[in-house]
């Protein structure tokens, strides 16, 4: 009899509908030698009958078994599956998930190649109820490359973070010899089983392939066992599993792994349960505290060094059972950036709360509760996301609600003499049609540490949703205190919404689908309202639509809905907006003194547009600044400017009436510039790669496409260049006339020119071991950089496929090895291209810092003692500082010879060592100071060729040339 290569144990309980899909994902594997072992946990539906039907349909490949009674968990059916499996290797699959088509082949190949007892691949969470098809890779930094471990001690992060059993392939003889079984009668069985397998395995291989698709329904009516965190038994089981894992690690002497696991417990496991505490009663909290504090007492103190300030604060306050301050901290942790505590000040330091500072453990309290570095006491008040807790909720059973709440007033920063006013806003989460409705708040008053508010709102009679497409509405309080304006989300706090009535509403489309607003708490604990049905007609219609959307006629129903809503959607379509821009807005008069700024298509407040704007502010020029932003809400943009969302109606009107456009990439190509508008294109970097009509792809396009591109660049009235290299490359690639060019340099580099001049004047530098007199500035403190360490910035460009699609970023070197080798004397900042993102392993925390969210790269360049890049145009900007550069050109031949090509050979002109392998990179970093001296002349030549017009006065030249004259 042929022995299967892999046995896949599929466990099922009351899931007859999805079981065939899971089994099909196994039968369709590209590896043919795979058997399916279905184990039914005594289901009450047809799951076992379906399993038997699958067995009959695929004899020899599918076998079905049934447990005599329900076990209540995953452990017993998986253990039975191990006993029944006949394959050389064993995998596990849940009936509601599927395997990637090549999973068995890839894992078997890795196991046979390396002789590993256990092979693990990447799991992908598939969010089934997300309309955008969202997927999330599970700890992707663990699987960036293939690696084989002789012991789990070589890579503790694997045991600490990837505790799943389902994305793994186990040698069956290994499971049997070690007696490895899942615990039965207790939840979180994967944590213990995975830990036992990791510790016992003689060799483990990780592969960078997707192997398992974990289907997730965020809004499932029935929560999974592990998601029932409101049940104290759930936490009891979690604690018991953690204790068993701790005993295992202690028995094997794995102290380092235990410390890392303790840190994860503080950052993850504890946080999950803290989020639910505001809604749970005193009895639950007391039992939770007893269980948690008993475990926290045994945690390695070193673990607290690897958690955030808020996580440490939560653990400390839990130990004190200080529920008031703990719940505020838990709220702040759930809603990142929210300040939910009134804070306390002692001796010039700021603390999360003041209750424990003078007690017997006051020294420890001051150390843990100190939040001075967060800057809550100095940041502008409107920039703080103040906590706003609902204190009461009443309704009349029809459509009117009375809400009361309290907004945190940290350190009394909202003064008692500040005049207060507020409005309550209901805003559709999907902003289609009518965007929001506001109600004036009747009562707003000072109340010590808080600002109390209360109002009655006729929601049912005023809020008119469209229906269907704007099903969720969020609630915000807009508070004005003197000259400060703040917007806060309203958190539910401890208010019970279970007994609240559904509010009657009148959707604009039809009441036959939804006729009620139901108050609901979001995942982050905030108040929202959800459109639902209560009237008989609405319930029937909604039920019919729901079943149709998931039945055989789904496509017909969806097409009908799309047709019904087409007219409304066209109101906001791109085609309609372009038409209104040209036929309506462009007929309005140009508003003198208005400037629309945009950086990287609205994604950032950064670059040369930012530098020009700030110079205008410095010179106090009379102008109106309008900044474009992309995304749901603006982050980091100047509060004093008018902000408009890209492609919104206000954005189009602003562009149509502006006297000046200033951006660094390109306003929408479909929008023509009016003769009365001056377009200053600052661009975003000198060119190594060929651009515009120098690109073969552009040349290969048909004449209509080329004409559209030419029309777009012809809108530029002025184009900034920083060297004659730009004139020969960018300007000619865009076919720009010479009179359009402004040889001013880049305004964004003015700060770098100034920084370099200051260093030359003072004679500072950066010898081994840190900086000599170099002024780090506030950014270094914000990032927590040790002043005695050298700072290197790794800033690579993006990679694109042959069809122009942007590839995802992955490190071309082992970042953990880099941190281990240089972390005691070097801090590595990682700043990916704005089209990419990065995920760092926790093991490098403090030694490697992701600064990709710092949109403005100029302060990062000024901070760095050296630059590591590949082909990014950042090399041209950094040259202004005359500091060392290392070029990690691991794929230079491919990059330089692809379809676009380059303007020059980087190998000939690079003002620093060019390395091709990770080992060479490490050697270059080790010999950093030698390269500094060796390439000094090359850096000067490089700057002379590519930055000759960067003299430090570009922004001033632009302002004096255009805006001071315009304002007269």
């Amino acid at each position: 009899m042929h022995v299967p290569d892999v046995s896949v144990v599929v466990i099922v309980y009351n899931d007859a509908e999805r079981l065939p899909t899971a089994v099909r994902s196994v039968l369709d594997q590209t590896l043919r030698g795979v058997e399916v072992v279905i184990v039914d946990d005594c289901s009450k539906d047809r799951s076992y009958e379906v399993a038997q039907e699958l067995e009959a349909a695929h004899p020899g490949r599918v076998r079905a078994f049934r447990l005599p009674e329900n076990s209540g968990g995953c452990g017993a059916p998986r253990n039975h599956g191990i006993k029944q499996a006949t394959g050389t290797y064993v995998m596990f699959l849940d009936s509601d998930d599927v395997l990637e088509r090549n999973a068995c082949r890839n894992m078997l190949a890795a196991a046979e190649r390396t002789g590993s007892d256990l092979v693990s691949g990447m799991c992908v969470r598939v969010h089934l109820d997300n309309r955008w098809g969202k997927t999330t890779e599970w700890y992707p930094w663990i699987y960036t490359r293939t690696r084989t471990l002789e012991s789990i001690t070589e890579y503790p992060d694997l045991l600490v973070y990837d505790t799943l059993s389902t994305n793994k392939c186990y040698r069956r003889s290994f499971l049997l010899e070690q007696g490895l079984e899942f615990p039965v009668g207790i939840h979180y069985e994967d944590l213990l089983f995975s830990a036992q397998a990791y510790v016992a395995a003689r060799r483990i291989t990780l592969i960078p392939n997707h192997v398992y698709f974990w289907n997730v329904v965020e809004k499932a009516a029935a929560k999974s066992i592990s998601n029932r965190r409101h049940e104290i038994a759930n936490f009891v089981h979690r604690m018991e599993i953690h204790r068993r894992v701790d005993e295992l690690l202690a028995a094997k002497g794995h102290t380092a792994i235990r410390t890392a696991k303790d840190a994860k417990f503080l950052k993850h496991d504890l946080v999950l349960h803290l989020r639910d505490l505001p809604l749970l009663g005193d009895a639950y909290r007391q039992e939770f505290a007893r269980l948690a504090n008993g475990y926290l007492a045994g945690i390695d103190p070193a673990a607290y060094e690897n958690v955030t300030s808020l996580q440490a604060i939560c653990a400390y306050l839990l130990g004190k059972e200080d529920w008031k301050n703990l719940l505020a901290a838990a709220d702040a942790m759930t809603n990142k950036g929210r300040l939910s505590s009134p804070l306390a000040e002692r001796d010039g330091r700021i603390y999360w709360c003041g209750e424990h500072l003078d007690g017997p453990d006051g020294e420890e309290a001051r150390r843990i509760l100190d939040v001075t570095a967060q800057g809550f006491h100095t940041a502008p008040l409107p920039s703080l996301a103040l906590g706003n807790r609902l204190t009461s909720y009443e309704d009349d059973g029809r459509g009117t609600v009375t809400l009361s709440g309290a907004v945190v007033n940290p350190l009394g920063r909202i003064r008692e003499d500040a005049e207060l006013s507020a409005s309550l806003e209901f805003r559709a989460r999907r902003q289609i049609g009518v965007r929001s409705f506001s109600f004036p708040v009747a009562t707003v008053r000072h109340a010590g540490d808080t600002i109390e508010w209360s109002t009655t709102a006729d929601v049912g009679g005023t809020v008119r949703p469209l229906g269907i497409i704007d099903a969720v509405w969020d609630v915000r309080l807009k508070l004005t205190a003197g000259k400060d304006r703040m917007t806060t989300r309203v958190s539910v706090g401890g208010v019970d919404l279970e007994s609240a009535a559904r509010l009657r509403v009148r959707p604009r489309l039809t009441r036959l689908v939804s006729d009620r607003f139901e108050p609901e708490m979001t995942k982050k604990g905030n108040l929202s309202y959800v459109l639902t049905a209560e009237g008989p007609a609405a319930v029937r219609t909604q039920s019919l639509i729901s079943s149709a959307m998931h039945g055989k006629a789904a496509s017909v129903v969806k097409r009908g809905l799309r047709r019904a809503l087409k007219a409304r959607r066209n109101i906001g379509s791109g085609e309609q907006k372009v038409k209104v821009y040209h036929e309506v807005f462009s007929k309005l008069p140009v508003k003198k003194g208005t400037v629309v700024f945009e950086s990287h298509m609205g994604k950032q407040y950064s670059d040369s547009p930012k530098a020009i704007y700030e110079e205008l502010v410095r010179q106090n020029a009379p102008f109106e600044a309008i900044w474009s932003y992309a995304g749901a809400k603006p982050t980091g943009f100047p509060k004093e400017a008018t902000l408009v969302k890209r492609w919104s109606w206000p954005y189009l009107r602003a562009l149509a009436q502006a006297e000046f456009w200033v951006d660094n990439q390109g306003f929408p190509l479909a929008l023509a510039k009016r003769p009365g508008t001056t377009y200053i294109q600052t661009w975003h970097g000198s060119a190594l790669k060929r651009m515009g009509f120098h690109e073969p792809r552009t040349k290969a396009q048909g004449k209509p496409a080329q004409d559209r591109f030419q029309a777009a660049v012809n809108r530029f009235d002025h184009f900034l260049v920083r060297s004659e290299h730009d004139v020969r490359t960018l300007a000619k690639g865009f076919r720009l006339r010479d009179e359009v060019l402004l040889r001013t340099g880049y305004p964004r580099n003015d700060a770098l020119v100034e920084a370099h001049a200051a260093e030359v004047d003072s004679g500072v530098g950066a010898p081994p071991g840190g900086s000599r007199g170099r002024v780090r500035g506030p950014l270094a403190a914000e990032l927590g950089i040790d002043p005695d360490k050298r700072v290197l910035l790794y800033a690579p460009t993006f990679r694109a496929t042959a069809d122009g699609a942007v590839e995802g970023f992955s490190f071309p070197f082992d970042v953990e090895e880099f941190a281990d080798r240089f972390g005691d004397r070097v801090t590595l900042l990682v700043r990916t291209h704005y089209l990419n993102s990065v995920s760092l392993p926790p093991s490098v925390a403090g030694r490697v810092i992701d600064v990709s969210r710092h949109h403005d790269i100029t302060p990062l360049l000024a901070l760095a003692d050296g630059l590591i890049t590949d082909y990014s145009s950042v090399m041209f900007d950094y040259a202004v500082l005359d500091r060392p550069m290392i070029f990690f050109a691991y794929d230079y031949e491919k990059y330089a010879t692809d379809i676009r090509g380059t303007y020059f050979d980087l190998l000939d002109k690079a003002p620093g060592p060019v390395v091709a392998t990770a080992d060479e990179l490490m050697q270059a970093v080790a010999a950093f100071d030698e390269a500094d001296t060796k390439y000094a002349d090359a850096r000067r030549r490089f700057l002379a060729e590519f930055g000759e017009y960067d003299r430090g006065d570009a922004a001033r030249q632009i302002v004096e040339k255009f805006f001071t004259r315009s304002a007269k």
Side-chain angles (χ1 to χ4, degrees):
M1 178 180 176
H2 175 68
V3 176
D5 293 312
V6 180
S7 294
V8 179
V9 177
V10 182
I11 64 170
V12 60
Y13 177 68
N14 287 351
D15 199 16
E17 183 178 348
R18 291 180 292 189
L19 176 61
T21 301
V23 171
R24 174 53 57 190
S25 77
V26 182
L27 297 176
D28 288 346
Q29 287 288 300
T30 54
L31 178 70
R32 303 311 302 167
V34 181
E35 73 162 353
V36 183
V37 178
I38 305 175
V39 182
D40 173 58
D41 197 11
C42 198
S43 296
K44 297 177 181 178
D45 69 352
R46 291 192 67 254
S47 293
Y48 184 55
E49 286 80 356
V50 171
Q52 290 178 309
E53 292 166 3
L54 290 167
E55 181 180 42
H58 304 281
R61 296 201 68 194
V62 178
R63 292 184 291 134
F65 302 90
R66 186 180 194 183
L67 299 186
E69 60 181 9
N70 179 251
S71 68
C74 301
R78 285 177 182 161
N79 291 339
H80 190 76
I82 295 172
K83 294 175 184 176
Q84 299 298 335
T86 61
T88 306
Y89 295 88
V90 175
M91 295 176 62
F92 302 106
L93 173 64
D94 292 345
S95 60
D96 52 347
D97 301 328
V98 294
L99 294 182
E100 194 277 334
R101 192 163 182 265
N102 299 293
C104 293
R105 177 181 297 279
N106 289 334
M107 299 183 95
L108 176 67
E112 293 188 335
R113 184 178 67 253
T114 62
S116 293
D117 291 326
L118 188 161
V119 176
S120 189
M122 195 183 301
C123 171
V124 179
R125 284 168 58 95
V126 180
H127 301 265
L128 297 179
D129 52 353
N130 180 274
R131 65 179 181 272
W132 308 117
K134 176 184 174 183
T135 60
T136 309
E137 293 179 335
W138 191 252
Y139 298 113
W141 43 266
I142 291 177
Y143 297 99
T144 54
R145 61 182 175 84
T146 299
R147 67 170 95 188
T148 297
L149 313 173
E150 300 298 327
S151 167
I152 189 61
T153 58
E154 295 178 19
Y155 196 46
D157 280 356
L158 181 60
L159 182 146
V160 172
Y161 290 93
D162 188 0
T163 56
L164 300 178
S165 65
T166 48
N167 60 334
K168 296 171 178 61
C169 180
Y170 311 84
R171 191 184 302 275
R172 187 165 65 92
S173 59
F174 159 69
L175 296 179
L176 298 176
E177 290 168 6
Q178 296 293 329
L180 292 179
E181 291 186 338
F182 289 87
V184 177
I186 188 169
H187 307 325
Y188 305 105
E189 55 276 298
D190 269 22
L191 274 71
L192 181 58
F193 181 83
S194 295
Q196 292 171 331
Y198 286 142
V199 169
R202 287 156 293 196
R203 185 171 294 161
I204 302 168
T205 295
L206 311 181
I207 59 174
N209 305 91
H210 292 168
V211 299
Y212 193 92
F213 294 111
W214 175 4
N215 292 325
V216 180
V217 180
E218 298 284 354
K219 300 177 182 177
K223 293 292 185 183
S224 66
I225 292 171
S226 59
N227 281 331
R228 298 174 195 161
R229 291 187 289 272
H230 60 285
E231 301 174 4
I232 194 65
N234 185 292
F235 192 61
V236 171
H237 287 200
R238 188 185 288 272
M239 291 294 89
E240 177 58 25
I241 287 292
H242 273 282
R243 287 191 179 91
R244 294 188 192 183
V245 174
D246 293 342
E247 291 171 1
L248 170 69
L249 297 178
K252 298 296 182 179
H254 295 326
T255 306
I257 298 179
R258 169 67 196 274
T259 301
K261 177 187 164 295
D262 284 348
K264 189 208 175 188
F265 177 83
L266 295 172
K267 292 191 289 187
H268 175 73
D269 300 79
L270 187 61
V271 169
L272 284 177
H273 290 268
L274 288 176
R275 289 173 177 169
D276 295 324
L277 284 183
L279 302 175
L280 301 170
D282 290 340
Y284 179 98
R285 293 178 188 174
Q286 290 172 7
E287 181 62 10
F288 174 80
R290 183 186 69 79
L291 294 166
N293 289 331
Y295 186 78
L296 289 171
I299 278 190
D300 184 353
Y304 285 91
E305 299 175 4
N306 297 314
V307 301
T308 67
S309 174
L310 264 179
Q311 289 160 352
I313 287 172
C314 283
Y316 176 81
L317 294 174
L318 177 60
K320 297 294 183 182
E321 297 189 35
D322 180 351
W323 299 112
K324 183 187 77 168
N325 291 308
L326 171 59
L327 295 179
D331 179 54
M333 197 156 45
T334 303
N335 295 274
K336 189 174 182 181
R338 179 179 290 177
L339 176 57
S340 304
S341 171
L343 306 177
E345 184 176 0
R346 294 281 197 285
D347 304 321
R349 306 295 297 178
I350 309 300
Y351 300 94
W352 185 257
C353 57
E355 282 80 347
H356 310 285
L357 303 179
D358 302 318
D361 61 344
E363 184 177 345
E364 180 187 19
R366 289 172 183 258
R367 176 176 56 81
I368 294 176
L369 299 174
D370 192 327
V371 293
T372 309
Q374 307 287 337
F376 295 132
H377 58 305
T378 57
L381 194 57
S383 71
L384 299 178
L386 300 181
N388 182 2
R389 181 175 57 86
L390 202 62
T391 54
S392 71
Y393 182 100
E394 299 176 2
D395 60 72
D396 65 357
R398 296 184 297 276
T400 300
V401 294
T402 299
L403 306 177
S404 299
V407 179
V408 167
N409 183 8
L411 302 171
R413 293 192 59 189
I414 301 177
R415 296 165 51 116
E416 289 194 12
D417 59 356
E419 185 177 346
L420 302 176
S421 63
S423 62
L424 196 65
E425 178 189 64
F426 287 68
R427 178 180 291 271
R429 191 170 296 174
R430 293 185 69 186
Q431 296 177 11
I432 301 172
V434 178
R435 293 165 58 92
S436 65
F437 296 87
S438 293
F439 301 88
V441 173
T443 303
V444 192
R445 66 183 187 88
H446 295 275
D449 288 340
T450 63
I451 303 297
E452 294 182 349
W453 58 272
S454 181
T455 196
T456 298
D458 180 12
V459 176
T462 305
V463 178
R464 297 292 308 278
L466 288 173
I468 305 175
I469 53 178
D470 55 351
V472 183
W473 289 66
D474 295 315
V475 182
R476 292 174 171 83
L477 182 81
K478 294 192 170 183
L479 174 65
T480 300
K483 295 182 179 179
D484 292 322
R485 296 181 179 180
M486 293 151 281
T487 300
T488 68
R489 287 296 302 270
V490 179
S491 66
V492 173
V495 173
D496 180 16
L497 297 178
E498 292 293 327
S499 58
R502 296 177 176 182
L503 309 180
R504 297 177 183 177
V505 291
R506 295 176 298 152
R508 290 174 178 269
L509 289 181
T510 175
R511 292 192 194 181
L512 293 178
V513 176
S514 51
D515 58 1
R516 293 293 187 273
F517 247 170
E518 182 173 6
E520 180 180 89
M521 185 182 73
T522 68
K523 287 194 301 181
K524 293 188 175 183
N526 298 315
L527 177 64
S528 67
Y529 284 85
V530 179
L531 272 176
T532 184
E534 187 168 291
V539 171
R540 284 196 302 272
T541 306
Q542 194 173 73
S543 177
L544 287 171
I545 290 178
S546 177
S547 60
M549 295 292 278
H550 295 88
K552 294 181 179 179
S555 60
V556 176
V557 174
K558 290 176 182 177
R559 283 198 299 272
L561 286 173
R562 282 196 292 267
R563 283 195 299 269
L565 298 171
K566 183 177 180 180
R568 292 184 180 276
R569 284 203 307 271
N570 282 346
I571 292 174
S573 68
E575 180 182 353
Q576 186 70 16
K577 285 184 173 180
V578 171
K579 185 176 181 180
V580 172
Y581 171 85
H582 289 107
E583 296 181 6
V584 180
F585 291 159
S586 293
K587 308 301 183 187
L588 299 173
V590 171
K591 295 172 65 177
K592 292 294 184 180
T594 57
V595 191
V596 177
F597 293 94
E598 186 170 285
S599 179
H600 293 300
M601 296 185 289
K603 294 183 176 69
Q604 304 173 359
Y605 172 61
S606 66
D607 213 79
S608 291
K610 173 185 176 183
I612 294 172
Y613 166 77
E614 293 182 347
E615 180 64 23
L616 278 165
V617 173
R618 272 193 295 271
Q619 295 198 25
N620 198 28
F623 71 101
E624 179 187 357
I626 302 170
W627 269 94
S628 152
Y629 71 91
K633 61 180 180 180
T635 302
F637 287 84
K639 302 293 184 183
E640 63 273 11
T642 299
L643 305 183
V644 293
K645 186 174 182 179
R646 202 171 197 263
W647 272 113
S648 67
W649 292 112
Y651 173 80
L652 297 174
R653 179 165 181 165
L655 283 177
Q657 293 192 271
E659 184 182 5
F660 291 97
W661 291 1
V662 179
D663 94 306
N664 67 350
Q665 192 157 343
F667 287 108
L669 303 184
L671 305 181
K673 181 185 71 67
R674 299 174 65 177
T677 300
T678 299
Y679 190 168
I680 303 173
Q681 173 57 255
T682 69
W683 204 240
H684 53 274
S686 298
L688 172 60
K689 298 286 282 187
R690 294 185 178 275
M691 301 290 294
F693 288 98
H694 290 164
E695 286 189 58
R697 273 194 293 256
T698 305
K699 294 177 180 178
Q701 290 176 339
K703 189 174 186 302
Q706 290 187 2
D707 289 345
R708 284 194 297 272
F709 180 79
Q710 188 65 64
V713 297
N714 283 349
R715 297 179 301 174
F716 303 160
D717 295 298
H718 304 283
F719 186 89
L720 274 56
V721 295
R722 56 194 305 259
S723 68
E724 289 303 307
H725 167 76
D726 290 351
V727 175
R728 295 188 298 271
T729 56
L730 287 170
K732 291 193 179 298
F734 293 150
R735 296 178 177 173
L736 299 176
R737 305 181 311 279
D738 190 71
E739 57 268 26
V740 171
L741 307 182
L742 291 179
R743 291 169 169 81
T744 60
Y746 282 169
R748 72 183 185 192
N749 288 341
D750 290 349
L752 300 181
V753 175
E754 182 181 353
H756 176 61
E759 290 191 359
V760 171
D761 291 342
S762 60
V764 302
S771 63
R772 182 182 63 227
R774 179 165 290 156
V775 178
R776 293 292 195 198
L779 180 57
E782 177 188 335
L783 297 174
I785 292 175
D786 186 337
D788 294 326
K789 287 186 179 181
R790 171 172 285 143
V791 179
L792 298 184
L793 174 64
Y794 176 49
T797 191
F798 70 96
R799 304 296 193 277
T801 60
D803 59 0
V806 177
E807 295 181 353
F809 172 79
S810 59
F811 279 100
F813 60 92
D814 191 328
V815 70
E816 291 174 294
E817 180 186 351
F818 187 101
D820 290 341
R821 288 186 60 173
F822 304 110
D824 60 334
R825 57 191 185 280
V826 171
T827 298
L828 181 67
L829 307 181
V830 178
R831 208 270 193 176
T832 59
H833 190 276
Y834 73 91
L835 295 174
N836 291 135
S837 60
V838 64
S839 179
L840 292 174
S843 58
V844 303
R847 299 176 294 173
V848 181
I849 303 173
D850 176 18
V851 292
S852 301
R853 292 187 178 183
H854 287 258
H855 294 155
D856 192 357
I857 197 173
T858 302
L860 296 171
L861 297 177
L863 174 62
D865 299 312
L867 174 70
I868 302 173
T869 187
D870 42 21
Y871 325 109
S872 171
S873 65
V874 74
M875 71 175 81
F876 301 110
D877 303 289
Y878 196 73
V880 171
L881 292 165
D882 191 26
R883 297 178 192 170
M885 288 185 265
I886 298 172
F887 297 84
F888 186 24
Y890 58 92
D891 57 351
Y892 183 66
E893 184 175 349
K894 175 184 176 183
Y895 190 88
T897 60
D898 77 353
I899 191 169
R900 280 179 66 181
T902 61
Y903 283 118
F904 63 88
D905 189 345
L906 180 64
L907 302 182
D908 289 341
K909 294 183 180 292
V914 181
V915 297
T917 67
D919 286 342
E920 291 175 355
L921 172 64
M922 302 294 179
Q923 293 170 18
V925 173
F928 185 82
D929 296 291
E930 179 182 334
D932 186 1
T933 304
K934 180 178 179 181
Y935 287 90
D937 290 339
R939 289 198 302 272
R940 283 189 284 274
R941 291 193 300 270
F942 191 81
L943 178 62
E945 181 173 356
F946 298 107
E948 59 188 299
Y949 301 132
D950 276 332
R951 305 184 188 96
D953 61 350
R956 181 175 57 79
Q957 286 190 63
I958 298 300
V959 169
E960 291 179 353
K961 182 177 180 64
F962 298 103
F963 299 103
T964 54
R965 182 183 61 189
S966 170
K968 292 178 181 177

